[in-house]
Amino acid sequence: MSTITLFGNRLSGHSYKVRLALVLGDVSHEYRHVSLHLPREEREPEFRAASRWDEVPALVVDGVPMVQSNAILQWLAESEGVLAGQPGERQGIREWLSWEANRIGFSLPNLRYSRLFSPLDPGAEAWMEARTRRDLDVLDAHLAKQDYLLPSGLTIADLSCSGYLWLIEDAGLTLDAWPHVAAWLARIAAQPGWEPIATLMAPDFHE
């Protein structure tokens, strides 16, 4: 059995989607919280050695580090069989992971960061909100036709694209205008072992 350590943070939707995949996939692992309040040079040496860009999440498998949440999810699907879908769905999963990285996984976190921590220029923030709304429109239209992003059911694509949606209220938005997205999140939350980000990503100490 592999020794797996995940470094993450409770404020990071990208960390959450990897931890959730590990939990739902029943993959034995150790979770280690990384304080993002600390300057990069003061963060845990083991984390800095594992994360080439000093970002969360970072996964270490038998001493071998890997970074970038969607790349980690692909490794979990391909190597551990976690929410991998059907063989014919691999291309569809790759497409959704790429869409997430370029669209909602970019727009929503930056909008949230602007409204929660450090305001962007008003024009830039408005652009981020408009882009997030378009992304939600895309998801809602797709999920109006089926329960999950891929026909076979829950896959890593769903965990990827939903990662920051659990934190959408931090960005000053609700899902009232996107009922199919809200229903999709409810289906994910009904999975055995699911826990909300506040508990699943909680540090062992008070930050």
Side-chain angles (χ1 to χ4, degrees):
M1 180 180 294
S2 296
T3 299
I4 298 177
T5 301
L6 172 66
F7 293 94
N9 183 276
R10 61 185 170 80
L11 299 177
S12 165
H14 295 311
S15 296
Y16 177 58
K17 62 190 180 185
V18 174
R19 181 107 208 263
L20 192 56
L22 289 163
V23 169
L24 297 184
D26 196 26
V27 177
S28 178
H29 66 285
E30 177 189 5
Y31 171 61
R32 290 166 68 171
H33 178 80
V34 177
S35 176
L36 301 182
H37 295 306
L38 292 174
R40 293 180 187 272
E41 63 274 10
E42 295 179 18
R43 294 173 189 171
E44 187 178 350
E46 290 84 355
F47 163 69
R48 297 197 66 207
S51 180
R52 70 175 70 173
W53 296 303
D54 286 325
E55 296 175 344
V56 291
L59 193 74
V60 182
V61 181
D62 293 333
V64 179
M66 58 187 79
V67 295
Q68 295 296 300
S69 60
N70 286 345
I72 295 171
L73 289 178
Q74 281 190 285
W75 181 87
L76 288 171
E78 294 167 5
S79 299
E80 300 292 318
V82 173
L83 301 175
Q86 297 300 312
E89 293 178 328
R90 288 182 180 177
Q91 178 61 22
I93 288 174
R94 284 192 290 264
E95 290 171 359
W96 277 112
L97 294 181
S98 294
W99 180 85
E100 188 273 346
N102 181 55
R103 296 297 312 189
I104 200 161
F106 172 81
S107 306
L108 180 54
N110 280 291
L111 179 63
R112 173 178 175 263
Y113 189 82
S114 177
R115 290 183 168 163
L116 200 60
F117 301 111
S118 180
L120 294 169
D121 173 85
E125 186 176 284
W127 182 80
M128 283 293 178
E129 178 172 340
R131 201 172 191 267
T132 299
R133 289 179 178 275
R134 287 195 298 272
D135 297 339
L136 287 165
D137 289 342
V138 168
L139 283 174
D140 205 67
H142 184 78
L143 292 164
K145 299 177 290 185
Q146 57 193 54
D147 286 348
Y148 296 97
L149 297 181
L150 278 296
S152 68
L154 184 70
T155 69
I156 58 168
D158 299 283
L159 300 192
S160 176
C161 290
S162 66
Y164 268 93
L165 288 173
W166 306 101
L167 301 168
I168 194 167
E169 291 185 1
D170 288 347
L173 299 175
T174 71
L175 292 173
D176 293 346
W178 301 282
H180 301 295
V181 173
W184 169 61
L185 292 183
R187 286 189 286 273
I188 296 173
Q191 296 293 316
W194 182 90
E195 290 185 59
I197 191 169
T199 56
L200 195 61
M201 305 301 293
D204 293 331
F205 55 89
H206 180 70
E207 248 190 316

